[in-house]
Amino acid sequence: MALVEDVFTGDISSITTIPETALGNGIIYMKADGVISGIKVAEEVFKQVDANLEIKLKATDGTHVKKGQAVIEITGSLRSILTGERVALNFLQRMSGIATKTHLMVTLIQDYPCTVVDTRKTTPLLRILEKQAVRDGGGKNHRFGLYDAVMIKDNHIKAAGGIMNAVQSARKQIPHTMKIEVEVENLQQVEEAIESKCDIIMLDNMDVNMMEAAVKRIAGKAIVEASGGVNENNIVEIANTGVNYISLGSLTHSIESLDISLDLYEKKVII
């Protein structure tokens, strides 16, 4: 779909300026340090453009790469290489940006028994790739969609008439293998969530003092997740409260793509 969006009826620039028989190779290389993600996705882009291209992967998803390092070499039709260039780089840059940001957050709290997870705040239709990038960066995935876990948020609580009503109603209708998570905003709701016997309690946009009080009150009766307003400046303080998981929408919705480029060479070169 991405290739159809970009190429549609043909790469006019390449078709009109490059002889059909022209061969060469291109090197995709890093213009910044980071954690690479999307190598296999970029490879698939070039395969779909031209199955005759020779593709050599010089890095593995989830590994640290340095500025100037080559990560993919493509040999074959120059037209085909340029046709696939932008789509491949778009996937590679965005996924690597996510992986790099995730790695930073994971590293900051590596001394705490706490796990960094993502959210559903992903680019439409790219969730599976963006969640892969989170894993490549050392984080874990929260639920993939609305279908794989019960997550009772503020509007569900309002519509159901309270936390207890919502949890009891859900428990009656789901298999015993499915977990129920409840989002809470204050200590009164924490008490209600504990009483409901839900599996996970999410502390939403609480300050650190309230989080500490909530974790102490929950005391292992449920898994505790912190969410809302988490960034590199406060994630350590949040991890120190004793929560089990920290979820960050910013891993996918407010990401800076990693700088990656492609250069063509008339003759095959190895970097």
Side-chain angles (χ1 to χ4, degrees):
M1 290 172 66
L3 285 169
V4 169
E5 176 186 62
D6 197 40
V7 183
F8 196 40
T9 57
D11 176 2
I12 300 301
S13 301
S14 296
I15 291 171
T16 58
T17 61
I18 302 171
E20 187 175 3
T21 56
L23 301 176
N25 74 321
I27 299 291
I28 293 180
Y29 65 97
M30 306 303 300
K31 298 183 73 176
D33 296 348
V35 176
I36 197 74
S37 179
I39 288 286
K40 299 295 289 184
V41 181
E43 179 186 29
E44 181 62 24
V45 169
F46 288 110
K47 283 182 176 179
Q48 290 198 19
V49 169
D50 185 347
N52 292 317
L53 289 174
E54 178 186 347
I55 304 165
K56 292 185 178 180
L57 307 182
K58 296 176 170 291
T60 304
D61 285 335
T63 58
H64 295 267
V65 287
K66 296 292 187 180
K67 181 178 180 180
Q69 181 177 340
V71 293
I72 303 177
E73 180 185 354
I74 315 103
T75 303
S77 165
L78 290 177
R79 283 188 182 182
S80 297
I81 293 172
L82 291 183
T83 296
E85 174 186 8
R86 178 44 52 199
V87 173
L89 287 177
N90 283 350
F91 281 125
L92 201 56
Q93 289 177 308
R94 179 162 182 80
M95 290 178 69
S96 297
I98 292 169
T100 301
K101 176 69 174 289
T102 303
H103 175 73
L104 169 63
M105 294 302 186
V106 170
T107 301
L108 286 172
I109 63 167
Q110 62 185 350
D111 295 330
Y112 296 87
C114 184
T115 302
V116 170
V117 299
D118 54 24
T119 71
R120 286 169 46 244
K121 295 177 181 178
T122 55
T123 308
L125 303 181
L126 295 184
R127 180 170 296 170
I128 191 170
L129 299 182
E130 294 183 348
K131 282 182 172 284
Q132 176 196 319
V134 168
R135 297 194 304 274
D136 288 339
K140 301 293 184 183
N141 297 143
H142 205 284
R143 57 179 180 160
F144 269 76
L146 295 173
Y147 54 85
D148 57 0
V150 176
M151 185 166 177
I152 300 171
K153 298 173 72 67
D154 56 345
N155 286 328
H156 297 103
I157 294 169
K158 292 175 185 176
I163 291 174
M164 183 64 76
N165 286 345
V167 172
Q168 289 181 342
S169 178
R171 189 73 75 188
K172 290 176 183 176
Q173 300 178 67
I174 61 172
H176 70 282
T177 54
M178 185 173 286
K179 293 186 181 298
I180 298 176
E181 179 167 8
V182 175
E183 177 185 278
V184 298
E185 299 176 346
N186 53 57
L187 294 179
Q188 180 181 340
Q189 288 188 327
V190 168
E191 295 291 345
E192 293 174 18
I194 294 170
E195 187 179 354
S196 76
K197 293 182 170 55
C198 63
D199 303 292
I200 307 166
I201 298 176
M202 175 191 281
L203 311 180
D204 184 46
N205 282 296
M206 288 187 180
D207 61 39
V208 171
N209 290 334
M210 189 181 292
M211 280 188 195
E212 288 178 343
V215 170
K216 184 177 295 186
R217 180 63 189 89
I218 295 167
K221 297 181 180 69
I223 294 169
V224 185
E225 177 182 338
S227 186
V230 183
N231 55 56
E232 55 263 42
N233 297 318
N234 63 15
I235 191 169
V236 172
E237 195 175 20
I238 291 171
N240 194 44
T241 65
V243 298
N244 306 111
Y245 293 87
I246 300 177
S247 55
L248 298 90
S250 61
L251 294 182
T252 52
H253 74 60
S254 301
I255 204 69
E256 181 178 347
S257 293
L258 203 60
D259 198 3
I260 306 173
S261 190
L262 182 150
D263 279 347
L264 278 185
Y265 297 86
E266 292 183 1
K267 295 182 179 180
K268 185 175 180 180
V269 295
I270 303 296
I271 293 180

